[in-house]
Amino acid sequence: MSEWLPADHDYTAEFENGIHYASVELAELAAIAIAQENGFFIVRGAWKPNTSGLTALCMYCDRSSRIVKSYKPDPTKETRGNTSSKGTGCQFQICIKEVWQKDRPNTWVLVGVTSRATGANRGFHNHEKVLYPEHHRHNKQFSEAEKERLRLMRKAGVRPNQQKTTLNTEGGVSHDIKQMYNRNYKNRLDEMGEMDAIQFALHGAEQRGYHICLQKDSNNVLTNLFFAHPTSIQMLHAWPYVIIIDSTYKTNRYGWPWVEIIGVTPVKKNFNIACALIKQETKETYEWVLRCIKGLLGDTVPNVIVTDKEGGLLASMPLVFPLPHTVHLLCLWHVNNCVKQKFEQLLGGISRREVAEAVWKKYFDKAAWSWTQEGFLQKINQFERVWTQKNIKMVDYVRGEWLPCQTMWAKCYTNHVFHLGNTSSNRVESSHSSFKSFLVSGRGAIDTCFAKNHNYMEHQFLEVVNELHKSLNRNLSRAIEPPCTFLRRVVSCEAIKLMLDGAAELKDRCACHFQMTHGLKCACQVVQAKEEGRQFYAQELHVFWRTLDYKNPPRQQQVNDEIELQREHFRRLTVEVEERGPEAVRQARD
């Protein structure tokens, strides 16, 4: 239990030390230090000039505010918040008085104060000593350096708990998490100035060179917002072949869906093409989002767009990206998951979960992953023949919901589409998770969401560029021997790995879909080239895998003269050897 300050002890003598201070600031610091030594804290009060023109600064006990009386709620008003006060009505007061000096600058001294009403000295306290002075608000104020450090950490997306740990470790103080939130809120208000959250977000986007599209209603209220980073636009022009679209929730205080549009890179990394904050998931809204994407693409058309079975998105897709130029695929994972859940529901819920799982795995899953249309139809027909008698509702569900769009998700149909292995929306789901790790909270305003998303995208671009650098500057040991020798540092390392892994896994026969779906040599071609000692050339692969400089992407070319390609390769090797010096040239000649 905390020790009480003696009620009969006058602390005025502790302050009246007869020392003359050169400035009021030094006197104030001295008074605060004396108070802490005696177990209490004092705060600055009002200035009181006197008739002689000199001034005095009053300082009070920090518990001098009135005592909070019992509160009776007023039924006609809203419920009062859970507030509290440390005030005890303490009467302690001390003054810093200005002293006139004849031939020198004026000085400042500490003097006691007497009550005008009673004439008693105001040097007494009516409360206990401070038990934890290191945690007192006065000892936990942010310095200017700490405020600037917090501003930079907030801008970099550092979480408040990490900010607290950093400051407390470096400064040896005891800041708490609430101080971090309060300081970050003040920094945000300072940055915004007179702008509101939407204006501040748009201002930040314009400063960073974002491509922005927005929609407003008849009352001039924002309803939809679409924005794309300038680097994302460059990457989209370099890799426009596959686009994945999905929305996520619980990202903002408005409860609006956050739509992410994801692209694919040749180094096994995805990149965020654009984001959209939409009010409603309607056909008109998604059509507007798709037209914004089309505006970024210009004359280019994507090969594939992968989505889940969102009604508004499905209805608007043919209006903006019609067949046959762009193929629309449904996420196979979502399709299988929906079928399993519906089977559980139609079979009696949780108690029949194992049965539903077995039915789905035996028929629908095998049909979905069948490599041929004959195998697909065989499994579907078998399912209908067996379960028409047992549960006709399951058969009707598959017929009505998924068979009309079977070309959008069944492997036997998607294996003839250039989708680079993207038959599900797992990339965009991963992006949702990464973005929310930057968000910290799902209750932020639009400016907070934009700032966090910008930090996330900058982090994402850095990872993509690092992987591109590796493909351009590293030689895979697996590609030393034919047929991939000439592909090193010309195409993505991921392309070489995919081809060699496919050849290693080849057993009886090759389905020969890899060249269609990925634009790479299939397993049987790799094995045959190894046996013949023949080399592959970069121009034989799709231009996607050769685009390692997204700022200056190459064009798709065909192999016209294999001898000329070999000559070009050896000319490049000769230049590399000559650059290493005379010793390397001599060794190569030998």
Side-chain angles (χ1 to χ4, degrees):
M1 188 173 179
S2 179
E3 180 183 356
W4 279 73
L5 297 171
D8 58 348
H9 183 73
D10 184 0
Y11 286 90
T12 303
E14 305 290 342
F15 293 86
E16 292 181 335
N17 50 19
I19 299 176
H20 288 250
Y21 300 95
S23 65
V24 67
E25 289 79 11
L26 293 175
E28 182 180 359
L29 292 175
I32 292 173
I34 294 172
Q36 291 190 42
E37 291 175 0
N38 287 275
F40 59 92
F41 285 84
I42 57 176
V43 294
R44 174 183 284 204
W47 287 90
K48 294 185 178 181
N50 56 23
T51 55
S52 61
L54 301 177
T55 55
L57 175 63
C58 296
M59 302 195 73
Y60 303 92
C61 178
D62 71 328
R63 307 190 69 173
S64 61
S65 58
R66 65 180 179 84
I67 302 174
V68 178
K69 299 180 181 179
S70 60
Y71 173 72
K72 296 181 180 180
D74 187 351
T76 63
K77 297 182 180 180
E78 295 183 1
T79 304
R80 183 177 179 177
N82 185 19
T83 60
S84 61
S85 172
K86 63 180 178 181
T88 63
C90 180
Q91 296 295 313
F92 179 85
Q93 184 180 350
I94 200 76
C95 262
I96 303 175
K97 184 177 180 182
E98 186 179 10
V99 179
W100 180 78
Q101 301 287 340
K102 183 175 181 181
D103 298 323
R104 291 176 296 174
N106 292 350
T107 57
W108 302 81
V109 296
L110 304 177
V111 296
V113 178
T114 56
S115 174
R116 293 185 179 181
T118 61
N121 196 1
R122 297 184 61 173
F124 299 94
H125 294 272
N126 65 347
H127 54 86
E128 68 276 11
K129 289 184 178 181
V130 177
L131 183 58
Y132 303 107
E134 67 277 7
H135 290 276
H136 193 273
R137 180 176 61 87
H138 185 85
N139 285 337
K140 295 166 67 175
Q141 297 295 321
F142 291 113
S143 65
E144 292 301 322
E146 288 177 327
K147 291 178 182 178
E148 179 64 18
R149 185 76 182 278
L150 278 175
R151 188 186 67 81
L152 294 176
M153 285 194 288
R154 175 183 173 272
K155 189 175 181 180
V158 180
R159 294 172 178 262
N161 58 343
Q162 296 170 336
Q163 297 174 4
K164 176 177 70 70
T165 303
T166 301
L167 293 185
N168 290 351
T169 303
E170 294 179 354
V173 292
S174 302
H175 296 304
D176 55 50
I177 193 67
K178 187 173 181 59
Q179 286 182 288
M180 303 297 121
Y181 283 112
N182 291 341
R183 188 68 244 175
N184 288 334
Y185 179 69
K186 291 179 181 177
N187 288 337
R188 175 172 174 261
L189 293 182
D190 291 340
E191 293 173 1
M192 292 175 63
E194 297 181 355
M195 293 183 287
D196 59 22
I198 296 177
Q199 292 172 338
F200 185 59
L202 295 177
H203 174 72
E206 291 173 356
Q207 281 189 325
R208 295 177 175 93
Y210 274 73
H211 174 84
I212 306 171
C213 299
L214 52 88
Q215 275 189 331
K216 297 181 180 180
D217 59 15
S218 57
N219 297 322
N220 201 32
V221 177
L222 182 70
T223 55
N224 299 307
L225 176 63
F226 177 94
F227 53 90
H229 195 284
T231 303
S232 296
I233 300 175
Q234 285 184 310
M235 290 185 175
L236 176 62
H237 289 165
W239 307 303
Y241 309 102
V242 177
I243 295 176
I244 310 172
I245 305 174
D246 192 22
S247 56
T248 185
Y249 310 92
K250 298 181 181 179
T251 61
N252 53 83
R253 66 174 59 172
Y254 321 105
W256 290 11
W258 182 275
V259 182
E260 284 195 288
I261 300 99
I262 301 299
V264 182
T265 70
V267 289
K268 208 177 180 179
K269 295 286 184 181
N270 47 275
F271 68 97
N272 198 309
I273 297 173
C275 293
L277 191 63
I278 60 177
K279 188 174 183 179
Q280 295 179 341
E281 294 182 287
T282 62
K283 174 185 174 183
E284 293 74 17
T285 300
Y286 276 115
E287 182 180 350
W288 176 80
V289 172
L290 292 173
R291 294 198 182 279
C292 291
I293 300 172
K294 192 171 185 178
L296 295 179
L297 287 164
D299 298 332
T300 308
V301 178
N303 292 63
V304 169
I305 295 180
V306 184
T307 69
D308 57 9
K309 201 175 182 182
E310 171 62 42
L313 194 53
L314 282 176
S316 60
M317 189 71 66
L319 302 177
V320 185
F321 295 102
L323 289 169
H325 306 290
T326 301
V327 179
H328 183 200
L329 299 184
L330 294 179
C331 172
L332 184 55
W333 183 89
H334 279 95
V335 173
N336 278 316
N337 197 46
C338 290
V339 172
K340 279 196 295 183
Q341 291 181 358
K342 190 65 176 181
F343 281 5
E344 289 178 16
Q345 178 184 347
L346 295 176
L347 286 172
I350 304 299
S351 61
R352 304 302 298 274
R353 176 172 293 176
E354 293 182 0
V355 177
E357 182 87 13
V359 174
W360 162 79
K361 192 170 183 179
K362 183 177 181 180
Y363 300 106
F364 193 87
D365 185 54
K366 287 188 177 180
W369 286 90
S370 177
W371 289 84
T372 62
Q373 296 183 24
E374 292 77 10
F376 173 81
L377 293 175
Q378 180 182 358
K379 282 296 178 183
I380 292 297
N381 292 334
Q382 186 180 359
F383 166 72
E384 292 179 348
R385 187 169 56 255
V386 173
W387 282 92
T388 298
Q389 302 298 327
K390 295 182 178 181
N391 194 324
I392 188 64
K393 292 183 179 180
M394 293 171 56
V395 177
D396 292 340
Y397 168 72
V398 173
R399 285 176 179 172
E401 187 73 15
W402 299 111
L403 291 186
C405 57
Q406 61 190 21
T407 58
M408 303 170 69
W409 53 267
K411 278 288 183 179
C412 59
Y413 297 101
T414 60
N415 280 337
H416 300 282
V417 178
F418 180 70
H419 53 61
L420 296 169
N422 295 279
T423 57
S424 70
S425 59
N426 58 339
R427 286 181 180 269
V428 71
E429 297 292 347
S430 173
S431 181
H432 292 337
S433 177
S434 299
F435 171 52
K436 288 184 177 181
S437 69
F438 278 76
L439 265 183
V440 181
S441 171
R443 301 294 300 169
I446 188 171
D447 62 312
T448 303
C449 292
F450 170 78
K452 299 296 184 182
N453 185 73
H454 177 76
N455 291 338
Y456 163 59
M457 293 175 71
E458 292 287 338
H459 169 77
Q460 188 184 72
F461 298 150
L462 181 61
E463 289 188 343
V464 171
V465 172
N466 285 340
E467 292 299 323
L468 291 173
H469 178 77
K470 290 179 182 178
S471 290
L472 286 168
N473 294 276
R474 291 188 180 182
N475 288 324
L476 282 178
S477 58
R478 298 174 63 186
I480 294 177
E481 298 178 355
C484 298
T485 308
F486 294 170
L487 301 180
R488 294 181 299 172
R489 297 191 296 178
V490 181
V491 302
S492 164
C493 293
E494 183 63 23
I496 300 175
K497 290 177 182 178
L498 287 172
M499 290 191 295
L500 296 180
D501 289 344
E505 295 173 1
L506 180 63
K507 295 180 181 179
D508 299 330
R509 63 186 184 87
C510 177
C512 294
H513 292 306
F514 207 60
Q515 193 162 7
M516 179 69 73
T517 59
H518 289 71
L520 298 173
K521 298 295 183 180
C522 60
C524 62
Q525 291 174 312
V526 176
V527 172
Q528 183 178 359
K530 279 185 177 181
E531 294 174 352
E532 298 174 355
R534 184 171 60 85
Q535 294 284 1
F536 292 145
Y537 298 95
Q539 285 79 0
E540 297 181 73
L541 310 182
H542 193 277
V543 67
F544 171 80
W545 303 102
R546 295 186 279 115
T547 308
L548 302 180
D549 181 5
Y550 66 89
K551 298 180 181 178
N552 299 291
R555 295 182 179 180
Q556 178 76 359
Q557 298 176 357
Q558 301 297 328
V559 180
N560 298 320
D561 190 347
E562 191 168 301
I563 297 177
E564 182 58 33
L565 290 175
Q566 292 178 354
R567 289 174 179 171
E568 178 61 30
H569 176 70
F570 285 110
R571 280 196 293 267
R572 182 162 52 85
L573 291 178
T574 302
V575 173
E576 291 182 4
V577 171
E578 290 177 347
E579 289 177 350
R580 296 178 183 176
E583 182 65 22
V585 174
R586 185 183 62 80
Q587 292 178 358
R589 187 183 297 114
D590 294 342

